[in-house]
Amino acid sequence: MREPASRADFEARLRRIGDERYHDKHPFHQLLHSGGCTMSQVQAWVINRYYYQSRIPMKDAAFMSRVEDPALRRAWRSRIEDHDGTAENEGGIARWLRLAEAVGLDPDYVASTRGVLAGTRFAVDAYVRFVRDKTLLEAVASSLTELFAPKIHSERIAGLLKHYDFADDNSTAYFQNRLKEAPKDVAFGLAWVLDHADTAEKQDACAAALTFKTDVLWSQLDALHSAYVEPARIPPGAWQPGEGQLEKAA
């Protein structure tokens, strides 16, 4: 029977997964952050990423439905509120739709999820099922891509503001707020995983869960890049440039 790694070594193992596999290294993000995307490519990203954003609170609700510990439910509840909003906070989904409007898309069209790539749907739906069906420990571990999110949000804010006319404090509000929200979430999630992964087998399962989540994020960008960048082969039923545009005031 293998001994589990120390807490510090196990955390370092998890962080290495992000260093090697996080989607900030994907060519599409490099293109986006450097200002190399056309407006149609930016719109395609906004449309497809919305599907992921809209499913995060559904994923978290599925997780909470299986949690018997009230303390864990209380700690996790804010994640749903961060995205769905409250009376005092409009929430991440509403902020993402403001970004959609800023890039010239009809928010109702984006919210309908019509035109979302099949590859996006398959990857995101697989993530929701993973969190619904796997152990609670694996589900929490899969959320730890948040360890690496502040870097990509900071790069995205800077890149969008530098290279795109639509970018301002209003259109980048989603990313600005995640810089404040994500550290709270990841501090709790990381501590919970480190506390509960007390065998080598559990540590392996957590590492596999985090690897799976990086695959989910990478696969979404693979689908996006293939459809709208190279070879620019848009699959049947997916969004075509020019669809879902915001009507300009007369």
Side-chain angles (χ1 to χ4, degrees):
M1 189 176 220
R2 290 184 297 131
E3 290 293 319
S6 70
R7 189 181 182 93
D9 287 346
F10 178 43
E11 180 176 346
R13 179 184 180 185
L14 296 175
R15 290 185 181 276
R16 279 196 301 274
I17 293 171
D19 290 341
E20 297 169 359
R21 305 175 64 95
Y22 194 54
H23 66 157
D24 61 333
K25 299 165 183 65
H26 195 283
F28 187 88
H29 271 332
Q30 295 172 0
L31 191 69
L32 176 68
H33 296 169
S34 67
C37 281
T38 66
M39 185 52 68
S40 291
Q41 289 165 346
V42 172
Q43 290 182 328
W45 169 66
V46 170
I47 288 167
N48 280 273
R49 179 75 182 192
Y50 175 82
Y51 189 74
Y52 175 73
Q53 302 300 148
S54 69
R55 266 50 186 176
I56 290 175
M58 296 168 64
K59 173 266 298 184
D60 288 326
F63 172 80
M64 286 180 60
S65 73
R66 302 191 293 126
V67 174
E68 297 182 3
D69 179 8
L72 179 54
R73 287 200 301 270
R74 283 195 300 272
W76 211 263
R77 189 180 305 145
S78 67
R79 295 170 181 253
I80 295 177
E81 294 174 347
D82 285 346
H83 283 83
D84 281 348
T86 64
E88 298 78 25
N89 174 24
E90 68 175 337
I93 291 176
R95 293 189 188 100
W96 194 268
L97 291 175
R98 280 203 273 140
L99 171 62
E101 189 170 2
V103 301
L105 291 166
D106 181 348
D108 289 338
Y109 174 84
V110 176
S112 75
T113 74
R114 297 194 306 273
V116 170
L117 290 162
T120 300
R121 292 185 189 275
F122 293 156
V124 174
D125 292 350
Y127 179 42
V128 175
R129 288 194 299 271
F130 184 96
V131 172
R132 182 192 67 200
D133 296 340
K134 292 289 188 176
T135 67
L136 295 182
L137 182 58
E138 290 169 294
V140 175
S142 70
S143 76
L144 293 183
T145 47
E146 292 167 341
L147 282 167
F148 324 115
K151 178 176 179 289
I152 200 172
H153 288 324
S154 295
E155 291 175 350
R156 183 171 297 147
I157 292 167
L160 294 180
L161 289 173
K162 180 178 180 180
H163 296 293
Y164 299 97
D165 291 340
F166 68 81
D168 55 22
D169 288 343
N170 177 66
S171 60
T172 61
Y174 173 83
F175 311 113
Q176 301 279 4
N177 275 270
R178 287 307 294 164
L179 287 173
K180 296 180 288 186
E181 296 165 349
K184 163 184 62 71
D185 292 342
V186 77
F188 176 85
L190 178 60
W192 201 89
V193 167
L194 295 177
D195 287 343
H196 290 81
D198 52 7
T199 68
E201 291 74 21
K202 289 180 181 178
Q203 291 178 346
D204 288 346
C206 288
L210 182 54
T211 298
F212 166 80
K213 176 63 179 306
T214 61
D215 289 344
V216 166
L217 296 171
W218 194 277
S219 295
Q220 292 178 66
L221 293 184
D222 271 351
L224 196 61
H225 196 275
S226 175
Y228 299 104
V229 182
E230 178 64 37
R233 185 174 56 241
I234 302 174
W239 176 77
Q240 295 282 345
E243 293 178 352
Q245 302 300 297
L246 192 65
E247 292 187 10
K248 293 182 174 62

